[in-house]
Amino acid sequence: MDRLVYIASATAARLETAQAVAANNLANASTVGFKADLMASRAALLRGDGFASRLYAPVTGLGMDHGAGAVQNTGRALDVAIEGAGALAVQANDGAEAYTRAGNLRVSAGGLLETANGLPVLGDGGPLLIPPHQSLHIGKDGTVTVVPDGQGPEALVTVGRIKLVNPPPDSLVKGADGTLRMPDGAPLPADAAVTLAAGALESSNVSAVGAMVQMIETSRQYELQVRLMQTAERADQASARLLSVGG
């Protein structure tokens, strides 16, 4: 019976992880630019002393769904959406270069162009500093221009150009802060072919209905594993009673 208990308990542990992944996806169904997390696991023999007769379910990979979310027009000057493949370059909290498709940008009190969660947006020479202005425009190629305070529309000033990159989607990994990075942490070169749609945002690619269905299915599978462990316990108790009677 210990084999049944071990398999059921190992499976239940993995289902708990799968439930946490589904719950996180559902919680981010309305997060701009969010990419759904994916988890893969498989059955494997437990190696050790003696014959390998016990199975467990190790996690073989944590990835993400690289599919694009729907693009929604907002009309806001600081909202941008990546057209097709690509990403915005930002400076992560650890100082490293990271990437995101969340284009709901803002200008900080200090004048830095940053993401909604406070990460500086990178240009060709580092974080983009926006001077005091009365209007701001982000071009299709990522060029940021402003009309300075007290100036007319003819006094258009180019502040810089947002660094846009286009790595192979499968080469990126998601960090704990939600940004995308290269596995080795190396920065990517800018790609002039990547373009932006101004006044628009890419929504999360999470299907709220799909995530909810996954949570329900995972919960039912977990309950099944618990019932298997309970069945094994009852069978073990019945065997013990038979042995005591026979003795």
Side-chain angles (χ1 to χ4, degrees):
M1 292 302 164
D2 67 311
R3 184 183 304 180
L4 174 58
V5 171
Y6 190 89
I7 293 174
S9 61
T11 304
R14 293 289 72 79
L15 288 170
E16 286 183 350
T17 305
Q19 186 78 320
V21 170
N24 182 65
N25 287 339
L26 185 60
N28 286 282
S30 59
T31 301
V32 174
F34 181 82
K35 301 301 180 186
D37 292 320
L38 302 174
M39 187 195 82
S41 61
R42 64 181 179 85
L45 288 170
L46 181 65
R47 304 294 179 180
D49 295 336
F51 183 70
S53 61
R54 300 295 181 269
L55 291 171
Y56 71 114
V59 174
T60 57
L62 291 172
M64 59 181 169
D65 179 358
H66 294 278
V71 175
Q72 300 175 341
N73 292 322
T74 65
R76 180 173 174 266
L78 285 171
D79 285 346
V80 292
I82 303 289
E83 295 183 321
L88 304 168
V90 297
Q91 186 176 66
N93 291 323
D94 60 2
E97 182 171 304
Y99 310 101
T100 182
R101 287 180 67 91
N104 48 338
L105 309 180
R106 67 186 185 189
V107 178
S108 71
L112 280 177
L113 184 64
E114 60 185 24
T115 62
N117 55 352
L119 300 180
V121 176
L122 296 178
D124 296 329
L128 288 171
L129 186 63
I130 309 298
H133 59 281
Q134 54 183 331
S135 66
L136 180 149
H137 175 72
I138 299 177
K140 195 176 183 69
D141 63 350
T143 299
V144 181
T145 55
V146 300
V147 174
D149 280 343
Q151 302 292 321
E154 70 284 353
L156 202 63
V157 175
T158 298
V159 174
R161 182 177 177 181
I162 297 173
K163 182 178 179 180
L164 303 172
V165 301
N166 188 17
D170 293 341
S171 65
L172 294 174
V173 295
K174 186 186 292 188
D177 58 357
T179 60
L180 310 177
R181 307 189 186 203
M182 294 296 291
D184 59 1
L188 292 166
D191 190 334
V194 181
T195 57
L196 299 175
L201 289 176
E202 178 185 347
S203 61
S204 169
N205 69 351
V206 174
S207 166
V209 174
M212 182 64 73
V213 169
Q214 182 182 357
M215 290 184 66
I216 294 172
E217 291 179 346
T218 303
S219 178
R220 289 175 177 172
Q221 292 172 11
Y222 182 86
E223 291 172 0
L224 174 60
Q225 303 308 314
V226 172
R227 288 198 296 270
L228 284 174
M229 287 185 277
Q230 292 171 343
T231 299
E233 181 182 15
R234 289 194 295 269
D236 185 64
Q237 292 172 349
S239 298
R241 286 195 295 271
L242 287 173
L243 289 174
S244 64
V245 171

